[in-house]
Amino acid sequence: MSTPDPRRWWALAAVVLAVLVISFDMTILNVALPTMATQLHASTSQQQWIIDGYTVVFAAVMLPAGLLGDRFGRRLMLTVGLVLFGAASLLGMLADSPGTVIAARAAMGVGGALIMPLSMAVIPGLFPPAEQGRAVGALASALAAGMPLGPLIGGLLLDHFWWGSIFLVNLPLVAIGITACLLLIPESRDPAAPRVDPVATVLAAGGLAALTWGIIEAPGRGWDDVPVVTALGGAVAAITVLVLRSLRQQRPMLDLSLLRDRSYRWSALAATLVSLVLFGGFFVLPLYLQAVLGSDAFGTGLRLMPMMGGLMVAARLAERLVVRFGPRPVITAGLVVIGAALLLGSRTQTGDGYGFTAVWLPLLGLGMGLSIVPAMGAALATLPPDRAGVGSGLLQTLRQVGGALGVAIFGSLLAGAYTARLDTSGLPAAAARVAHDSVAAADAVARQLHDAALTASAHAAYIHAMDRVLLVAGVVGLLSAVLVGARMPGRAATAAVPAPEGPGTPPLAATAGDRGESPV
């Protein structure tokens, strides 16, 4: 047995730092959106695409990203991802329009898609099997911790610098990651990995983009609008063709054979559902704290920190609970806590202030830590080393699909409920159209016209819409807990069975007795 690299923990620390940047970059813009919307005159739809421009590309590119790492070198492609992410951050820092920001975010999604799965895939080359679980847990914790850290860092930067500083902060951290890749991480690859399938890449990217666009635009255009119906129909067709194409290939880019392992399948599904639910909550909270309660950017990030407290408690508990009880009950309990926290948040009333929000935010963080970290760890633990890239790529793709759909669905619900409740009677037609774009836009119109009634109506309409979103997200969280608790296998359910037949195909850990989906 070879001696473990003595620099492996330093290498892991640098990779964790890079992953942390990617993770908080998913939420840092949430706290910056009100400022950006005002200064760049971004509509609600454009704000959604500033978020989803990243997550859609991220999700679509991660499928070929895992294969590129397996085939050409995981360290090489991880370094390329960091370089792309840094260059796109520089573009975002210099942007002067919503379209440029969206383009920069999409380019960052390409870099992030290379970083995220390959940061997981380098672990087998750095650590012996006995230490791999701890290393995976460190990366999973960084992914979870970055979500509440994003608003705090973003708020701190926005209070002292211009909004472009939220991109500037990425550059030194990316530089550290690149240095660590070149000096500390050994190269690893799978010579038998399949080639990147350009047709599958186009189908995945096009299908997800069309689906997200259709959901975002439907509330404003109408669900019977021809472009919306065309986009949604095209998305279903593209994803269906992608799945059928993948099932016919021996070593496909979208390796659905990994889902034969029940532990991997249900862990990945749990992580996806958590991402879907959480992105809904993260989309509505910053605007409530800023536009309705009047917090500045840093104050908004600070007021989200109770969630970090709950996450820290969960981080200390989750590993011990998983060792004692297995991942299924811990993940299920985490989803229950998330659902309960969001349902409690949906009871927010006009005039409640921050005190009520501070009650349920720690519960949200606690549930996040108990669900997402064990779910990702359980999924990655099933992967053999030579399929680490494609397996982690599929896991992260599913998570980002969940996040993108969460922003699209809950953002559409928010926009529809807000517009329906907002009272713009008596306003000029142009002012009414602007006020319907977002609560931040309504506040700007109210200040210009000195219309206190419009301010009150906009705030009440936003709280009503936010409560709708949190209610639906909470119900989805509880239903997800029931599904995972009933269907996810227990810790002793796995057995070694062969992977799909094909030349050079390594064995895949899958579960015995999968036909009945028994959870025991």
Side-chain angles (χ1 to χ4, degrees):
M1 179 179 296
S2 60
T3 303
D5 190 332
R7 304 173 300 172
R8 63 194 182 281
W9 294 109
W10 287 105
L12 179 66
V15 173
V16 164
L17 191 62
V19 168
L20 190 62
V21 174
I22 302 300
S23 182
F24 74 61
D25 206 76
M26 296 176 188
T27 57
I28 195 171
L29 272 185
N30 287 357
V31 76
L33 273 179
T35 303
M36 295 174 66
T38 301
Q39 296 186 10
L40 298 177
H41 308 291
S43 66
T44 298
S45 176
Q46 288 173 323
Q47 292 177 57
Q48 288 173 271
W49 275 109
I50 288 173
I51 301 294
D52 269 344
Y54 178 86
T55 54
V56 168
V57 175
F58 195 110
V61 176
M62 257 193 295
L63 286 175
L67 279 180
L68 286 171
D70 286 347
R71 187 173 183 84
F72 298 109
R74 292 158 188 145
R75 183 184 67 178
L76 171 63
M77 299 314 300
L78 178 56
T79 305
V80 170
L82 287 164
V83 171
L84 288 175
F85 193 85
S89 297
L90 183 62
L91 174 63
M93 181 184 71
L94 302 174
D96 58 359
S97 69
T100 307
V101 174
I102 293 170
R105 291 282 290 169
M108 291 170 71
V110 177
L114 289 167
I115 296 168
M116 191 70 80
L118 296 176
S119 63
M120 296 283 184
V122 298
I123 285 179
L126 281 172
F127 293 91
E131 295 177 344
Q132 288 178 17
R134 188 183 305 173
V136 168
L139 284 177
S141 297
L143 288 173
M147 298 182 75
L149 280 177
L152 180 64
I153 296 170
L156 182 63
L157 291 170
L158 288 172
D159 270 6
H160 294 86
F161 307 100
W162 90 115
W163 61 262
S165 61
I166 61 174
F167 296 106
L168 176 63
V169 70
N170 295 335
L171 300 181
L173 301 178
V174 165
I176 293 173
I178 292 171
T179 303
C181 283
L182 297 177
L183 299 180
L184 299 175
I185 298 177
E187 187 60 279
S188 62
R189 58 174 57 88
D190 174 15
R195 295 180 180 275
V196 173
D197 185 347
V199 175
T201 301
V202 170
L203 289 171
L208 182 58
L211 178 64
T212 306
W213 184 89
I215 295 173
I216 288 175
E217 296 294 331
R221 293 171 173 263
W223 288 95
D224 58 349
D225 179 70
V226 173
V228 170
V229 173
T230 302
L232 295 177
V236 172
I239 294 171
T240 300
V241 172
L242 173 64
V243 170
L244 294 176
R245 178 183 178 86
S246 300
L247 291 174
R248 288 197 301 266
Q249 296 174 325
Q250 291 182 338
R251 296 291 302 274
M253 189 181 75
L254 178 63
D255 194 350
L256 297 176
S257 68
L258 292 169
L259 298 176
R260 294 184 179 182
D261 184 320
R262 287 175 54 214
S263 292
Y264 180 91
R265 178 169 69 247
W266 287 101
S267 298
L269 177 62
T272 302
L273 292 171
V274 172
S275 296
L276 186 150
V277 171
L278 286 177
F279 268 75
F282 274 113
F283 189 77
V284 300
L285 270 174
L287 266 177
Y288 170 67
L289 295 173
Q290 286 194 31
V292 178
L293 298 187
S295 300
D296 59 17
F298 178 69
T300 298
L302 197 62
R303 284 165 176 79
L304 289 172
M305 285 310 289
M307 183 164 41
M308 186 66 180
L311 179 61
M312 291 175 65
V313 172
R316 295 181 64 88
L317 291 176
E319 183 176 357
R320 282 178 275 179
L321 291 174
V322 169
V323 169
R324 183 170 182 180
F325 300 108
R328 181 181 64 192
V330 179
I331 296 169
T332 302
L335 284 165
V336 169
V337 174
I338 288 175
L342 293 171
L343 289 179
L344 182 60
S346 73
R347 307 301 299 169
T348 302
Q349 303 294 321
T350 304
D352 276 347
Y354 174 69
F356 182 70
T357 304
V359 171
W360 60 270
L361 276 180
L363 294 176
L364 187 63
L366 180 67
M368 181 169 65
L370 290 176
S371 54
I372 190 69
V373 175
M376 291 180 61
L380 294 171
T382 67
L383 297 174
D386 52 4
R387 303 185 79 185
V390 68
S392 57
L394 178 59
L395 172 64
Q396 299 298 344
T397 296
L398 293 173
R399 283 190 64 240
Q400 294 312 308
V401 168
L405 291 180
V407 172
I409 293 170
F410 293 125
S412 296
L413 177 60
L414 179 77
Y418 167 77
T419 300
R421 182 61 66 96
L422 181 65
D423 181 9
T424 56
S425 57
L427 288 179
R433 284 195 299 272
V434 173
H436 278 103
D437 275 345
S438 69
V439 64
D443 278 344
V445 171
R447 285 193 299 270
Q448 184 178 4
L449 300 178
H450 306 288
D451 190 342
L454 176 60
T455 298
S457 175
H459 290 183
Y462 188 83
I463 291 174
H464 164 74
M466 181 184 76
D467 287 347
R468 271 287 176 91
V469 169
L470 295 178
L471 175 64
V472 173
V475 171
V476 173
L478 293 179
L479 292 176
S480 300
V482 173
L483 179 65
V484 171
R487 309 291 276 180
M488 185 175 179
R491 70 170 90 208
T494 59
V497 299
E501 294 180 0
T505 304
L508 171 66
T511 54
D514 193 36
R515 193 172 301 169
E517 290 291 324
S518 171
V520 297

